[in-house]
Amino acid sequence: MIELKSFLGGRWVAGRGNPQTLLNPATEEPLARTSTDGLDLAAALDYARRTGGPALRALTFAERGALLKALADEMQEHRDELLELGIANGGNTRSDAKFDVDGGIATLLAYVEVATALGARKFLVDGEGIQLGRSVRFHGQHIAVPRHGAAVHINAFNFPAWGFAEKAAVALLAGMPVLAKPATSSAMVAHRIVELVAENKILPDGALSLLVGAPGKLVSLLGGQDVLAFTGSGETGERIRSAPNIVRESVRVNVEADSLNAAVLGADVEPRSDMYELFLKDVVRDMTQKAGQKCTAIRRIVVPAALAAEVKSDLAELLGGVKVGDPKDEDVRMGPLATADQLSSAREGVQRLGGRLAFGSTAAPFPKGYFLNPILVESPGEAVHQHEVFGPVASLLAYQDNAAALVARGNGGLVSSVYSEDQAFVEKMVLELAPYHGRLFLGHPKIELSPGPGTVLPQLVHGGPGRAGGGEELGGPRGLAFYLQRVALEGARPVIQKLLGA
Ligand code: NAP
C-alpha cells in the first residue's frame, strides 16, 4: 500500500502512528495510508511564513500569474493520471473527475488573466486617491498589501483538485504562501498535484505545503497575520471559527459550508417547453453528478402545485435511466459516495427529511462499496429546510404563490436557481432571494452549453450567508481581498503618488 507523506518545511515527512487508510469507495479496497502524528506543524507554518511569504511578495502580480500558469500546465500534462486517481480514490466517474480536475485548471487559468490585468505591481491600489483637506496636498489613498502570515486551506472531500486549486490560485496571486490540508479520505489527487509541484520546482520554496491526514493542532497555531479558508460541514466550520486563538488573535477566517440550494420553476413554464426540459436536466445533473456530493447541488425542487405531479413523474423517469455502479466502467453515470460514514449519514438524512420516497430507496444496491441510488423525496417535513443530505437526494416542494418565502427558510445558501420566462416573476425572485444567497442562477434555454447552477465559475463569487458559512471566495480580483490587508495612506500627495508609481 502507498504511504502518503506530507510536504512540510520543504520536504516530504511521514507521521508516526495512528495511520488512516484511504480506500476505493466502489470496491472498499485499501489504496494508501497516512499519518500526521508527531509532525512539527508550528515549524511548517514558520517555514511557509519566513521562506515562502517573502519569495512571493518579491514578485509582481504578473510574475505570480506565471507561477499559476506553470501549475495549471503541470496539472494539464498529468491530467489523465489525476483523473484515474479521482476515479479510484474519490468514487468519481470519468466525467465527475474531469469536472474536478478541469475545473481546477480552468480556475488557475482564470487567475492568470487576473494577474495579467494587475500587471507589474506588488500590491493593489484600491480605488481613486481622495483630496482630504482644502489643499490638494493633503491626500488619501487605500492600498492592499499581502499579509505576512500563512494561508491555511482546509478542504472538503468532494473536490480534491478544484478545491485545492481555487484556493491556492487566489492566495498565491495575492502573495501569500499556502498550507493545504485536503480531506483525508480523498487526498490522493491533491497529494499528486503537490508532488508534481515539488518535483518540478514550480513554486518558490515554502510557497506551498501539504498536510495529508488529521489536522492535529494546525488551527490552534494560527495568528493575526495568518488566514484560514475552510470548506466543509457547518459543524466543523463552527468549531474552527470559535477556536480560542482564532477569536483572540482575530485570525481572518472564511467558511464555505452546507447549503440547501433550491431550483424554482415559474408558474408560466409549460411542460415539455425548452425551459421545462432545462429545469429537469439541471435537477437530474445536480442530483447525480458526483453522486450529489456537491455543495452547490439542488436539494429543494420548488415547483408550482399545479405542476408537481408532472415534474415528479418526469424526474422519476429520468432518474430511472441513471446507471449506478463502479465508476471505472464507461457506461456508469453515478458512482458511490466517498466513504462509509458519508453513506450512513446520507441514509440517516433521508429518514430525517421525512415525507415519502417518490423515487429510489436507501437499500444497498450492491454487496460492496458505498453506493446509494438517487432518491427523490416528496412532502418532506421541516427538516428539508434545515438538514443537508450530502448525496444523490433532493426533495420536491410544491408552492402556491410563496416560492421565495419557501426558499428563504433554508437560512442562507450558496446558490439557487430560477426557471421562468416571466420577467416580473424573475425580478421578484431575484430581489427576494438575493439577501439569502451568494449566487442566483437564472436558467434560460437560449444560454448555449449552460453549466447549470452547480458549477462554480471563478469570475463570480462563491459563498453564501447564514447556513452556507457567511464566506465569499473567487469573484475574479475580489477574491484577493481575503489575503490582503487594506490600509489607508494619509499624507502629502506627491509622496503617495510616487509610492504608487504614478
Ligand atoms: P468535514 O467533515 O467538515 O471536513 C472538512 C475538512 O475539515 C476536512 O479536511 C477535515 O479533515 C477537516 N477537519 C475536520 N475536523 C477538523 C478540525 N477540528 N480542525 C481542522 N480541520 C478539521 O466536511 P466533509 O465531510 O469533508 O465535506 C462535506 C461538507 O462540506 C458538506 O456539508 C458540504 O456542503 C460542504 N462543502 C461545502 C462547500 C462550499 O464551497 N460551501 C464545498 C464542498 C463541500 P479530515 O478529512 O482529515 O477529517
Side-chain angles (χ1 to χ4, degrees), residues 154-158 181-184 213 215 219 230-233 236 239-240 256-258 295 342 388 390 414 462:
I154 299 181
N155 273 313
F157 68 82
N158 54 346
K181 193 213 116 36
T184 305
V219 171
F230 167 80
T231 296
S233 63
T236 313
R239 198 169 326 136
I240 284 177
E256 298 288 343
D258 312 351
C295 53
Q342 288 299 324
E388 179 196 51
F390 209 57
L414 297 171
H462 172 60

Short mmCIF file of all heavy atoms in Angstrom, two decimals, residues 154-158 181-184 213 215 219 230-233 236 239-240 256-258 295 342 388 390 414 462, ligand 1:
data_model
loop_
_atom_site.label_atom_id
_atom_site.label_comp_id
_atom_site.label_asym_id
_atom_site.label_seq_id
_atom_site.Cartn_x
_atom_site.Cartn_y
_atom_site.Cartn_z
N ILE A 154 -8.21 24.45 4.38
CA ILE A 154 -8.75 23.15 4.79
C ILE A 154 -9.92 22.84 3.86
O ILE A 154 -10.87 23.61 3.78
CB ILE A 154 -9.22 23.18 6.26
CG1 ILE A 154 -8.02 23.51 7.17
CG2 ILE A 154 -9.86 21.85 6.65
CD1 ILE A 154 -8.34 23.54 8.65
N ASN A 155 -9.82 21.73 3.15
CA ASN A 155 -10.81 21.43 2.11
C ASN A 155 -11.70 20.24 2.41
O ASN A 155 -11.33 19.35 3.17
CB ASN A 155 -10.09 21.22 0.78
CG ASN A 155 -9.90 22.55 0.06
OD1 ASN A 155 -10.83 23.35 -0.05
ND2 ASN A 155 -8.69 22.81 -0.38
N ALA A 156 -12.85 20.22 1.73
CA ALA A 156 -13.79 19.10 1.85
C ALA A 156 -13.35 17.96 0.92
O ALA A 156 -12.51 18.15 0.04
CB ALA A 156 -15.19 19.56 1.49
N PHE A 157 -13.97 16.79 1.10
CA PHE A 157 -13.53 15.61 0.35
C PHE A 157 -13.97 15.62 -1.11
O PHE A 157 -13.43 14.90 -1.93
CB PHE A 157 -14.03 14.33 1.02
CG PHE A 157 -15.52 14.17 0.94
CD1 PHE A 157 -16.11 13.66 -0.21
CD2 PHE A 157 -16.34 14.57 1.98
CE1 PHE A 157 -17.48 13.54 -0.32
CE2 PHE A 157 -17.72 14.47 1.89
CZ PHE A 157 -18.28 13.96 0.72
N ASN A 158 -14.99 16.43 -1.43
CA ASN A 158 -15.65 16.21 -2.72
C ASN A 158 -14.91 16.79 -3.93
O ASN A 158 -15.12 16.33 -5.04
CB ASN A 158 -17.10 16.72 -2.67
CG ASN A 158 -17.20 18.15 -2.20
OD1 ASN A 158 -16.23 18.70 -1.68
ND2 ASN A 158 -18.35 18.75 -2.37
N LYS A 181 -4.62 21.56 3.38
CA LYS A 181 -4.98 20.31 4.05
C LYS A 181 -6.23 19.75 3.37
O LYS A 181 -7.36 20.16 3.65
CB LYS A 181 -5.25 20.51 5.54
CG LYS A 181 -5.31 19.17 6.26
CD LYS A 181 -6.28 19.15 7.40
CE LYS A 181 -7.45 18.22 7.28
NZ LYS A 181 -7.36 16.94 6.64
N PRO A 182 -6.03 18.80 2.44
CA PRO A 182 -7.21 18.19 1.81
C PRO A 182 -7.90 17.27 2.82
O PRO A 182 -7.27 16.84 3.80
CB PRO A 182 -6.61 17.37 0.67
CG PRO A 182 -5.18 17.14 1.03
CD PRO A 182 -4.76 18.22 1.98
N ALA A 183 -9.17 16.97 2.57
CA ALA A 183 -9.84 15.98 3.41
C ALA A 183 -9.08 14.67 3.25
O ALA A 183 -8.64 14.31 2.14
CB ALA A 183 -11.29 15.81 2.96
N THR A 184 -8.92 13.94 4.33
CA THR A 184 -8.06 12.76 4.30
C THR A 184 -8.58 11.70 3.33
O THR A 184 -7.80 11.12 2.55
CB THR A 184 -7.95 12.16 5.72
OG1 THR A 184 -7.50 13.21 6.59
CG2 THR A 184 -6.97 11.01 5.76
N GLY A 213 -3.78 14.12 6.19
CA GLY A 213 -4.21 13.36 7.36
C GLY A 213 -4.83 14.28 8.40
O GLY A 213 -5.20 15.42 8.08
N PRO A 215 -5.78 16.92 11.15
CA PRO A 215 -5.22 18.28 11.26
C PRO A 215 -4.44 18.55 12.54
O PRO A 215 -3.70 19.53 12.62
CB PRO A 215 -6.47 19.17 11.22
CG PRO A 215 -7.60 18.29 11.66
CD PRO A 215 -7.25 16.90 11.22
N VAL A 219 -5.01 24.38 13.53
CA VAL A 219 -5.79 25.61 13.66
C VAL A 219 -5.31 26.43 14.86
O VAL A 219 -5.25 27.67 14.80
CB VAL A 219 -7.29 25.26 13.77
CG1 VAL A 219 -8.12 26.48 14.12
CG2 VAL A 219 -7.78 24.63 12.47
N PHE A 230 -11.70 27.68 5.03
CA PHE A 230 -12.22 26.34 5.33
C PHE A 230 -13.41 26.02 4.43
O PHE A 230 -14.29 26.86 4.24
CB PHE A 230 -12.67 26.28 6.80
CG PHE A 230 -13.49 25.07 7.11
CD1 PHE A 230 -12.88 23.84 7.34
CD2 PHE A 230 -14.89 25.14 7.15
CE1 PHE A 230 -13.65 22.70 7.60
CE2 PHE A 230 -15.65 24.00 7.41
CZ PHE A 230 -15.02 22.79 7.63
N THR A 231 -13.44 24.81 3.89
CA THR A 231 -14.62 24.30 3.20
C THR A 231 -14.97 22.96 3.81
O THR A 231 -14.11 22.07 3.89
CB THR A 231 -14.34 24.12 1.69
OG1 THR A 231 -14.07 25.39 1.12
CG2 THR A 231 -15.54 23.53 0.98
N GLY A 232 -16.20 22.81 4.22
CA GLY A 232 -16.62 21.54 4.82
C GLY A 232 -17.95 21.71 5.51
O GLY A 232 -18.73 22.61 5.16
N SER A 233 -18.20 20.86 6.48
CA SER A 233 -19.52 20.90 7.12
C SER A 233 -19.65 22.12 8.03
O SER A 233 -18.65 22.61 8.58
CB SER A 233 -19.72 19.62 7.93
OG SER A 233 -18.75 19.57 8.94
N THR A 236 -18.02 21.52 11.55
CA THR A 236 -16.58 21.71 11.68
C THR A 236 -16.24 23.20 11.56
O THR A 236 -15.39 23.72 12.28
CB THR A 236 -15.80 20.92 10.60
OG1 THR A 236 -16.31 19.60 10.54
CG2 THR A 236 -14.32 20.88 10.87
N ARG A 239 -16.72 24.87 14.82
CA ARG A 239 -15.65 24.52 15.77
C ARG A 239 -14.38 25.33 15.47
O ARG A 239 -13.75 25.89 16.36
CB ARG A 239 -15.36 23.02 15.69
CG ARG A 239 -14.63 22.50 16.90
CD ARG A 239 -14.57 20.98 16.96
NE ARG A 239 -15.73 20.31 16.43
CZ ARG A 239 -15.67 19.22 15.64
NH1 ARG A 239 -14.51 18.72 15.28
NH2 ARG A 239 -16.76 18.64 15.21
N ILE A 240 -14.04 25.42 14.20
CA ILE A 240 -12.82 26.12 13.80
C ILE A 240 -12.93 27.61 14.10
O ILE A 240 -12.04 28.22 14.68
CB ILE A 240 -12.57 25.90 12.29
CG1 ILE A 240 -12.04 24.48 12.08
CG2 ILE A 240 -11.64 26.93 11.70
CD1 ILE A 240 -11.82 24.11 10.64
N GLU A 256 -16.85 28.10 4.05
CA GLU A 256 -17.77 27.67 2.98
C GLU A 256 -18.39 26.38 3.50
O GLU A 256 -17.69 25.37 3.61
CB GLU A 256 -16.99 27.36 1.70
CG GLU A 256 -16.25 28.54 1.13
CD GLU A 256 -17.17 29.57 0.50
OE1 GLU A 256 -18.34 29.24 0.22
OE2 GLU A 256 -16.73 30.71 0.33
N ALA A 257 -19.70 26.42 3.81
CA ALA A 257 -20.28 25.25 4.49
C ALA A 257 -21.50 24.71 3.76
O ALA A 257 -21.56 24.75 2.53
CB ALA A 257 -20.58 25.63 5.93
N ASP A 258 -22.45 24.21 4.52
CA ASP A 258 -23.61 23.50 3.96
C ASP A 258 -24.53 24.46 3.20
O ASP A 258 -24.50 25.66 3.43
CB ASP A 258 -24.46 22.88 5.07
CG ASP A 258 -23.62 22.12 6.07
OD1 ASP A 258 -22.43 21.92 5.83
OD2 ASP A 258 -24.18 21.74 7.12
N CYS A 295 -21.50 20.89 -3.00
CA CYS A 295 -22.08 21.87 -2.08
C CYS A 295 -23.14 22.72 -2.77
O CYS A 295 -24.02 23.27 -2.13
CB CYS A 295 -20.98 22.76 -1.52
SG CYS A 295 -19.99 23.51 -2.81
N GLN A 342 -20.08 8.77 5.01
CA GLN A 342 -20.95 9.61 4.18
C GLN A 342 -22.22 8.85 3.82
O GLN A 342 -23.30 9.41 3.81
CB GLN A 342 -20.23 10.06 2.91
CG GLN A 342 -19.15 11.11 3.14
CD GLN A 342 -19.69 12.40 3.73
OE1 GLN A 342 -20.79 12.83 3.40
NE2 GLN A 342 -18.95 13.01 4.63
N GLU A 388 -28.92 19.27 5.37
CA GLU A 388 -28.38 18.94 4.05
C GLU A 388 -28.06 17.44 4.01
O GLU A 388 -27.29 16.94 4.82
CB GLU A 388 -27.09 19.73 3.85
CG GLU A 388 -26.41 19.47 2.53
CD GLU A 388 -24.96 19.96 2.52
OE1 GLU A 388 -24.19 19.63 3.45
OE2 GLU A 388 -24.61 20.69 1.60
N PHE A 390 -26.04 15.00 2.06
CA PHE A 390 -24.95 15.17 1.10
C PHE A 390 -24.80 13.90 0.26
O PHE A 390 -23.93 13.07 0.48
CB PHE A 390 -23.66 15.49 1.87
CG PHE A 390 -22.69 16.33 1.06
CD1 PHE A 390 -23.07 17.55 0.54
CD2 PHE A 390 -21.39 15.90 0.85
CE1 PHE A 390 -22.18 18.32 -0.20
CE2 PHE A 390 -20.50 16.65 0.11
CZ PHE A 390 -20.90 17.87 -0.42
N LEU A 414 -25.66 28.81 -0.96
CA LEU A 414 -24.62 29.17 -1.92
C LEU A 414 -25.24 29.65 -3.23
O LEU A 414 -24.81 30.63 -3.81
CB LEU A 414 -23.75 27.94 -2.22
CG LEU A 414 -22.97 27.40 -1.02
CD1 LEU A 414 -22.32 26.07 -1.37
CD2 LEU A 414 -21.92 28.40 -0.58
N HIS A 462 -18.23 32.94 -4.87
CA HIS A 462 -18.75 31.67 -4.38
C HIS A 462 -18.80 31.76 -2.86
O HIS A 462 -17.81 32.11 -2.22
CB HIS A 462 -17.83 30.54 -4.82
CG HIS A 462 -18.17 29.22 -4.21
ND1 HIS A 462 -19.39 28.61 -4.39
CD2 HIS A 462 -17.45 28.39 -3.41
CE1 HIS A 462 -19.41 27.46 -3.73
NE2 HIS A 462 -18.24 27.30 -3.13
P1 NAP B 1 -15.87 17.99 7.20
O1 NAP B 1 -16.01 16.70 7.85
O2 NAP B 1 -16.31 19.20 7.93
O3 NAP B 1 -14.34 18.09 6.79
C1 NAP B 1 -13.85 19.17 6.05
C2 NAP B 1 -12.38 19.33 6.30
O4 NAP B 1 -12.16 19.74 7.64
C3 NAP B 1 -11.56 18.06 6.12
O5 NAP B 1 -10.33 18.41 5.53
C4 NAP B 1 -11.36 17.58 7.55
O6 NAP B 1 -10.22 16.78 7.70
C5 NAP B 1 -11.19 18.90 8.25
N1 NAP B 1 -11.44 18.88 9.68
C6 NAP B 1 -12.30 18.10 10.37
N2 NAP B 1 -12.25 18.44 11.68
C7 NAP B 1 -11.35 19.44 11.80
C8 NAP B 1 -10.85 20.19 12.90
N3 NAP B 1 -11.28 20.01 14.15
N4 NAP B 1 -9.88 21.12 12.66
C9 NAP B 1 -9.44 21.34 11.41
N5 NAP B 1 -9.88 20.65 10.34
C10 NAP B 1 -10.83 19.73 10.53
O7 NAP B 1 -16.63 18.05 5.81
P2 NAP B 1 -16.59 17.00 4.62
O8 NAP B 1 -17.37 15.81 5.07
O9 NAP B 1 -15.21 16.80 4.10
O10 NAP B 1 -17.39 17.76 3.48
C11 NAP B 1 -18.78 17.71 3.32
C12 NAP B 1 -19.39 19.04 3.69
O11 NAP B 1 -18.69 20.09 3.03
C13 NAP B 1 -20.81 19.17 3.21
O12 NAP B 1 -21.58 19.65 4.26
C14 NAP B 1 -20.75 20.21 2.10
O13 NAP B 1 -21.88 21.01 1.96
C15 NAP B 1 -19.59 21.04 2.49
N6 NAP B 1 -18.99 21.65 1.32
C16 NAP B 1 -19.12 22.98 1.15
C17 NAP B 1 -18.55 23.60 0.04
C18 NAP B 1 -18.67 25.07 -0.17
O14 NAP B 1 -17.96 25.58 -1.03
N7 NAP B 1 -19.51 25.76 0.56
C19 NAP B 1 -17.83 22.84 -0.87
C20 NAP B 1 -17.71 21.48 -0.67
C21 NAP B 1 -18.29 20.89 0.44
P3 NAP B 1 -10.30 15.18 7.69
O15 NAP B 1 -10.77 14.79 6.36
O16 NAP B 1 -8.91 14.78 7.96
O17 NAP B 1 -11.28 14.82 8.76
#
